[in-house]
Every structure is written in C-alpha cells, then in structure tokens.
C-alpha cells in the first residue's frame, strides 16, 4: 500500500493525523469526533459508509490511517498507551502501534482497515474494550 502522508507516518506524527481527520470529518459530514471512547461508534459508522459505497482500503488508505490514528489517540488518552514503532521482528503493514502500560501492543490502524474489509465482524469498539481490560494472558503481548 502506498501512503502519501504529510507528515510521514511516525509515532510523533500520529496525533497530527488524528487531528486532521477530526477536522475533515467535521467539514465533510458534520461529524463531531471528540476523542471519547463513545466516538468509536461514529468511526465505525463512517467506515461502514465507505464499505457500503464499495471503496477499498487502497482507495481510502490515507483516510483509514488517519481514522486509525484517531482511535489510537483514544487509547493513549483514556488507557494510557503511547505510540511506538512496530517491532521489527513482527511483520506488519503499518509501521506504528500503540503500546499499552502493560506492554501489550494495539494496532488501531489495522482495526480500521479490518472494519472496512470485514464489516461488523471487526468491532473496533470491542477491540478497544479488550485493550482497556487487564490482560488475561500476561504472556500475550498484543491486543490485536
């Protein structure tokens, strides 16, 4: 997937991408994204709208990445995670993840792409809720 993001997709830039999609969603559809966990429902509805229109992840890559950064910002603000580079040992399509205080890694950008591809079978809300729960499996490092 080719991304044409400015600034580039780096941990320090994720909040800027999130802020950009907040502004774009307000301008385009009047959507009020307020960084609350409840606003994840609105993100799902927007992505479901893209899916209903038949767009692909490639068609909407920059917007989907930005929505993933927005969801990641909800993680950082409400659960205490921090943006990090994805570990080199793990092959991922997206170079950044949110690391939670208990060292689990979350992949909110992948969650958004998954919602577009698989619809309601991928619940961003449920993934967020699982991230907020204490890890039931301390040896499992991800909250994918």
């Amino acid at each position: 997937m080719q991304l044409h993001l400015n600034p580039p997709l780096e941990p320090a830039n994720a909040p800027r991408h999130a802020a950009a999609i907040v502004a774009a969603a307000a301008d385009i559809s009047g959507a009020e994204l307020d960084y609350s966990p409840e606003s994840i429902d609105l993100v799902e509805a927007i992505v479901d709208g893209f899916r209903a229109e038949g767009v692909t992840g490639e068609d909407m890559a920059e917007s989907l990445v930005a929505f993933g950064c927005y969801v990641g910002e909800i993680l950082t603000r409400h659960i205490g995670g921090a943006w990090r580079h994805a570990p080199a040992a793990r092959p991922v399509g997206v170079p950044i993840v949110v690391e939670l205080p208990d060292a689990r890694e979350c992949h909110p950008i992948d969650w958004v792409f998954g919602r577009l591809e698989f619809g309601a079978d991928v619940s961003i809300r449920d993934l967020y809720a699982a991230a907020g729960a204490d890890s039931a499996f301390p040896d499992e490092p991800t909250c994918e």
Side-chain angles (χ1 to χ4, degrees):
M1 165 179 35
Q2 287 287 347
L3 293 176
H4 304 286
L5 295 170
N6 187 15
L9 189 57
E10 295 283 335
N13 296 331
R16 291 177 62 191
H17 292 296
I21 205 66
V22 167
D27 288 346
I28 294 168
S29 64
E32 293 185 34
L33 297 174
D34 62 2
Y35 295 98
S36 68
E38 294 77 22
S39 69
I40 292 171
D41 294 335
L42 186 51
V43 171
E44 288 184 330
I46 292 168
V47 174
D48 290 348
F50 295 156
R51 181 177 166 80
E53 293 171 9
V55 299
T56 66
E58 192 70 30
D59 295 337
M60 298 295 295
E62 286 82 7
S63 293
L64 295 171
V65 166
F67 277 115
C69 288
Y70 173 78
V71 172
E73 279 299 292
I74 296 172
L75 286 165
T76 66
R77 293 172 186 210
H78 294 276
I79 299 177
W83 288 101
R84 301 280 186 254
H85 287 282
R90 186 167 190 273
V92 294
V94 179
I96 61 174
V97 299
V98 173
E99 183 179 306
L100 300 179
D102 64 4
R104 287 180 294 154
E105 295 169 8
C106 293
H107 303 261
I109 297 171
D110 290 339
W111 299 351
V112 172
F113 276 88
R115 181 69 179 214
L116 180 69
E117 185 174 351
F118 300 109
D121 288 346
V122 174
S123 170
I124 300 168
R125 166 151 307 280
D126 289 351
L127 289 163
Y128 173 83
D134 290 334
S135 179
F137 306 99
D139 294 332
E140 177 58 45
T142 64
C143 67
E144 295 179 44

